[in-house]
Amino acid sequence: MTDNILRTLVALYDPLPLSDRFFVRTRLFLSNLYQLESYVPKEGRILDIGCGHGLLSNLLAITSPQRQVLGIDIDAKKIAAAQSTVSNRSNIQFKVGDAAVLPDTSFHAVTIADVMYLIPPDIQRAILTSIACALEPNGVLIWKTHSHRPQWKYTITYAQEWLMTKLGPTKGAGIFFMDSEESLQAIRNAGLDPTVVPMPSRRPYSDILFLGCKSNKNSPSQYES
Ligand SMILES: C[S@@+](CC[C@H](N)C(=O)[O-])C[C@H]1O[C@@H](n2cnc3c(N)ncnc32)[C@H](O)[C@@H]1O
């Protein structure tokens, strides 16, 4: 990710109040969201679930004008902030929406970054199945979350997320990190071929990325036990 792109991304938030600008810069600094971009097809319809202020959605839209990006989030305030970054760009839009009720459209990729663990596991599994149904053949799920290992990073991650949901600005039903095996199995059960992408970093978070590819032959019923 070049400095130029990061500058362009941050500048989109210049019209927002100081508190939003601070939040967005901190999020960008503390996360490695930019690493997700390379796994997203350069063109096609992209759904970013739980987009928050729209950092990842905006990154995807500015790095390739051939992407048509839709960001959804349950938090109407965050969506209003994200909408105020759009200006006259035509390849991005933001809407209030719940991960449990996906838009009635197909997508070439679905990103979901640091969102699933705010949702109870049974609903996470149902969402993965809906994502698999919404993906075009050869479409891809890009799911960033946190692993239970290493333990010390997981403890810091959990504590931070707990604070963000109890005292901070993150809306969610609680904290429900599935372990890596459960996540991989849930992706398989949804009918996607999973891959794990480790995200080692010097940050004190246990980031991990799961990809789920929809091949033409898979369907959820093949994997249901
Ligand atoms: C930690 S933030 C991550 C935001 C963004 N994906 C990012 O990486 O910067 C989690 C987001 O998930 C959203 N969220 C929680 N539950 C959701 C749900 N059921 N449907 C859609 N969004 C949800 C929250 O409102 C919040 O904006």
Side-chain angles (χ1 to χ4, degrees), residues 23 27 31 33 48-56 72-75 78 97-100 112-119 123 127 144 161 164 169-173:
F23 184 88
R27 172 80 185 136
S31 75
L33 281 181
D48 183 25
I49 300 176
C51 63
H53 288 78
L55 262 178
L56 177 60
I72 63 166
D73 199 287
I74 44 165
D75 188 330
K78 287 187 182 175
D98 192 321
I112 182 159
D114 295 341
V115 177
M116 278 291 218
Y117 54 77
L118 301 167
I119 298 169
I123 304 178
I127 291 169
K144 182 192 170 296
E161 292 308 319
M164 290 297 276
T170 303
K171 283 192 193 298

Side-chain angles (χ1 to χ4, degrees), residues 9 12-13 27-28 33-34 36-37 40 46-65 67-73 78-79 82-83 85-86 89 91-95 110-113 115:
L9 180 60
L12 292 174
Y13 293 85
R27 172 80 185 136
L28 200 55
L33 281 181
Y34 56 87
L36 273 55
E37 194 275 331
V40 179
I46 317 293
L47 175 65
D48 183 25
I49 300 176
C51 63
H53 288 78
L55 262 178
L56 177 60
S57 317
N58 271 323
L59 175 66
L60 298 176
I62 61 178
T63 44
S64 177
R67 290 183 182 134
Q68 286 294 330
V69 183
L70 169 61
I72 63 166
D73 199 287
K78 287 187 182 175
I79 287 295
Q83 282 169 338
T85 68
V86 173
R89 291 178 298 146
N91 73 329
I92 185 156
Q93 54 176 321
F94 294 101
K95 290 184 180 166
V110 174
T111 56
I112 182 159
V115 177

